[in-house]
């Protein structure tokens, strides 16, 4: 129990004090070694080996590729093209550009794989268009923040790659298992947009003509083929998820440089520099989490947690509900990526003992953490949207509150009905 307190409580304290995630994981792991062996006997060589082993993974090569894809899409003017397609498709519904906002995020999710990339790139376009159409800024910002959480759900997804690597689960299965929950998220948010728009009398656009829709689709079709290339390539066996990320990146570079010609060489160098920085941060966290996971296994912390839960909770469904609540609480204080590194090695061995499929649990964990991205005090997407709109943080949070309802409702549904998540993986991979 003392080791669990040092590892988990100690890590939370370090994070709340502002210690970077990677160093907090390494420090809490080293504290356990100092507690059990003595400070003078900490095996520094072993710490170095375990951290290096954490990033020595072919699967993790997908992370910089997806990060680079997201930045290319934002810089190449893809956001405007995707938004135009969504506007022609659903702009005539009650709530007009509110629905467009959600659909555009669903389409962009298949390219960026990141909620913050969605909020920072497409979000500025969405909010400005809604404001120009007569929507209040707080409502526009709330819809944008909520719909951005779809980004890491609909594949490709950077959190799915990270979870798959940490849990030794099929990334292809997680990609497929996330599709229906992502579509349910979008549908639920659009229902809420319609309800609020009816109550407040928000504007509706005229239905787009077939010529307008065809023109918008022709402008936005090429980037929207990116997720199709990834999924078809994986399912056909042409390439692995890691290889798929590189193929998709090559495709995005071709349309950005050769078709649209919207990125200069200087801009591309800056994109590479920013992607390298983001990748370095993630890989450092992965290195620290590898040591953290090894300590958890070495001192049988996960076994102790599993034994405790087995003695107190017998129903797997009740366990999932309790773990969802626990992950939601963690997501209030820790960003999604660090939370994945913290919770995956601790919880996956436990749920496996209950007969819960790690693919189903992975989708649930990512979904929970996406809700955390729009929940204070550490709501990364909220801060990204606030930077765009200059709204007071409290105003933005109040405007976002109604959109928790469809998100939590979908979370409960996919928790109680695992077949929703497992339907496509079972159909296409077995």
């Amino acid at each position: 129990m003392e080791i669990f307190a040092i590892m988990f409580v100690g890590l939370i304290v370090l994070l709340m004090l502002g210690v970077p995630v990677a160093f907090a994981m390494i420090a809490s792991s080293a504290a356990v070694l100092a507690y059990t062996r003595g400070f003078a006997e900490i095996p520094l060589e072993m710490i170095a080996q375990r951290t290096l082993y954490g990033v020595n993974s072919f699967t993790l090569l997908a992370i910089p590729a997806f990060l680079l894809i997201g930045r290319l899409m934002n810089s190449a003017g893809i956001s405007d093209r995707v938004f135009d397609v969504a506007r022609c498709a659903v702009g005539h519904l009650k709530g007009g550009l509110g629905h467009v906002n959600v659909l555009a995020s669903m389409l962009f999710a298949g390219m960026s794989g990141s909620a913050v990339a969605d909020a920072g790139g497409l979000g500025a376009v969405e909010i400005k268009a809604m404001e120009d159409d007569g929507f209040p800024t707080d409502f526009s910002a709330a819809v944008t923040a909520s719909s951005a959480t779809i980004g890491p759900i609909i594949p490709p997804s950077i959190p799915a790659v990270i979870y798959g690597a940490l849990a030794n689960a099929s990334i292809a299965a997680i990609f497929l298992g996330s599709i229906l929950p992502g579509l349910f998220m979008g549908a639920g948010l659009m229902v809420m947009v319609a309800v609020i728009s009816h109550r407040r009398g928000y504007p509706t656009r005229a239905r787009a003509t077939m010529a307008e829709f065809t023109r918008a689709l022709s402008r936005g079709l090429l980037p929207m083929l990116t997720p199709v290339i990834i999924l078809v390539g994986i399912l056909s066996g042409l390439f692995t998820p890691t290889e798929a990320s590189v193929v998709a990146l090559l495709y995005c570079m071709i349309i950005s440089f050769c078709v649209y010609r919207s990125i200069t060489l200087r801009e591309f160098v800056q994109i590479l520099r920013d992607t390298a920085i983001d990748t370095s941060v993630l890989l450092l966290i992965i290195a620290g989490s590898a040591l953290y996971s090894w300590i958890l296994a070495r001192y049988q912390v996960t076994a102790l947690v599993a034994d405790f839960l087995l003695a107190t909770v017998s129903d797997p469904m009740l366990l999932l509900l309790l773990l969802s609540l626990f992950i939601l609480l963690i997501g209030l204080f820790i960003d999604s990526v660090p939370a994945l590194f913290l919770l995956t090695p601790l919880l996956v061995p436990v749920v496996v003992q209950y007969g819960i499929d790690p693919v189903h649990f992975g989708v649930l964990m990512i979904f929970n953490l996406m809700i955390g991205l729009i929940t204070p005090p550490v709501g990364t997407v909220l801060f990204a949207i606030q930077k765009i709109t200059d709204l007071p943080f409290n105003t933005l949070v109040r405007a976002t509150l109604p959109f928790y309802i469809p998100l939590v409702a979908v979370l409960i549904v996919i928790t109680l009905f695992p077949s929703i998540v497992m339907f496509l993986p079972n159909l296409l991979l077995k």
Side-chain angles (χ1 to χ4, degrees):
M1 196 63 185
E2 294 87 354
I3 293 176
F4 176 80
I6 294 173
M7 293 204 69
F8 195 76
V9 179
L11 177 62
I12 297 296
V13 171
L14 288 173
L15 292 174
M16 294 182 70
L17 290 175
V19 177
V21 178
F23 298 118
M25 286 186 167
I26 294 173
S28 59
S29 301
V32 170
L33 294 173
Y35 175 77
T36 56
R37 301 188 180 195
F39 187 80
E41 300 298 325
I42 295 178
L44 300 179
E45 298 85 355
M46 185 274 293
I47 291 177
Q49 290 173 352
R50 287 292 167 180
T51 52
L52 178 61
Y53 176 78
V55 295
N56 186 22
S57 170
F58 176 74
T59 303
L60 296 178
L61 290 174
I63 293 177
F66 283 135
L67 288 172
L68 185 52
I69 289 172
R71 288 193 175 275
L72 279 174
M73 290 296 182
N74 278 332
S75 301
I78 304 298
S79 303
D80 296 313
R81 297 172 184 269
V82 172
F83 190 78
D84 284 342
V85 174
R87 177 161 45 197
C88 291
V90 297
H92 59 280
L93 300 177
K94 185 62 178 178
L97 290 187
H99 297 294
V100 174
N101 191 321
V102 176
L103 181 58
S105 294
M106 294 172 70
L107 296 174
F108 198 73
M111 293 170 256
S112 71
S114 167
V116 177
D118 189 340
L122 188 61
V125 176
E126 294 170 331
I127 292 172
K128 183 179 186 306
M130 290 184 69
E131 288 176 334
D132 292 344
D133 223 39
F135 289 88
T137 301
D138 59 345
F139 178 75
S140 306
V143 176
T144 303
S146 304
S147 65
T149 60
I150 304 174
I153 301 297
I154 294 179
S157 165
I158 294 173
V161 173
I162 294 172
Y163 174 84
L166 293 174
N168 197 26
S170 168
I171 296 174
I174 300 171
F175 277 2
L176 289 173
S178 301
I179 293 176
L180 291 181
L183 295 177
F184 285 1
M185 285 178 74
L189 291 173
M190 291 177 75
V191 168
M192 183 56 65
V193 167
V195 170
I196 295 176
S197 298
H198 274 287
R199 288 181 176 178
R200 301 179 184 177
Y202 289 153
T204 300
R205 281 179 166 255
R207 184 185 294 270
T209 65
M210 183 57 67
E212 291 173 333
F213 181 75
T214 302
R215 185 166 54 252
L217 188 61
S218 65
R219 294 183 67 248
L221 180 62
L222 288 179
M224 290 192 299
L225 289 177
T226 305
V228 177
I229 293 172
I230 293 173
L231 292 177
V232 171
I234 293 173
L235 295 177
S236 64
L238 289 177
F239 33 73
T240 66
T242 302
E243 293 165 344
S245 67
V246 179
V247 172
L249 173 59
L250 178 61
Y251 174 76
C252 291
M253 291 179 67
I254 290 174
I255 63 175
S256 296
F257 285 102
C258 302
V259 180
Y260 298 147
R261 299 181 181 180
S262 52
I263 296 180
T264 65
L265 182 59
R266 177 173 294 182
E267 290 172 335
F268 184 62
V269 170
Q270 183 61 45
I271 290 171
L272 290 177
R273 183 181 294 114
D274 293 339
T275 303
I277 293 172
D278 293 342
T279 302
S280 300
V281 172
L282 277 176
L283 289 181
L284 188 57
I285 296 174
I286 292 171
S289 72
L291 175 64
Y292 191 84
S293 301
W294 183 81
I295 296 293
L296 285 175
R298 172 69 177 79
Y299 291 97
Q300 299 182 333
V301 175
T302 53
L304 294 174
V305 174
D307 290 342
F308 172 77
L309 289 173
L310 286 168
T312 54
V313 180
S314 58
D315 183 25
M317 196 56 62
L318 177 59
L319 176 73
L320 280 180
L321 292 172
L322 291 175
L323 289 182
S324 288
L325 180 60
F326 174 66
I327 296 169
L328 279 172
L329 291 174
I330 292 295
L332 295 180
F333 303 100
I334 304 178
D335 201 7
S336 58
V337 171
L340 275 175
F341 289 112
L342 170 64
L343 298 175
T344 302
L346 180 67
L347 299 181
V348 169
V350 176
V351 299
V352 168
Q353 291 195 40
Y354 277 80
I356 298 168
D357 195 301
V359 172
H360 178 220
F361 182 69
V363 174
L364 292 181
M365 180 182 289
I366 295 170
F367 202 113
N368 273 289
L369 294 175
M370 291 310 102
I371 296 176
L373 291 179
I374 56 169
T375 307
V378 184
T380 310
V381 169
L382 289 179
F383 287 111
I385 297 299
Q386 184 189 29
K387 185 177 180 180
I388 295 172
T389 61
D390 289 327
L391 282 172
F393 189 71
N394 291 340
T395 301
L396 179 57
V397 172
R398 282 196 302 270
T400 308
L401 287 177
F403 295 97
Y404 293 135
I405 297 174
L407 294 178
V408 173
V410 173
L411 175 61
I412 293 173
V413 168
I414 64 174
T415 301
L416 297 178
F417 300 98
S419 58
I420 295 175
V421 173
M422 301 306 300
F423 174 72
L424 289 180
N426 290 337
L427 177 66
L428 298 175
L429 297 179
K430 294 183 179 180

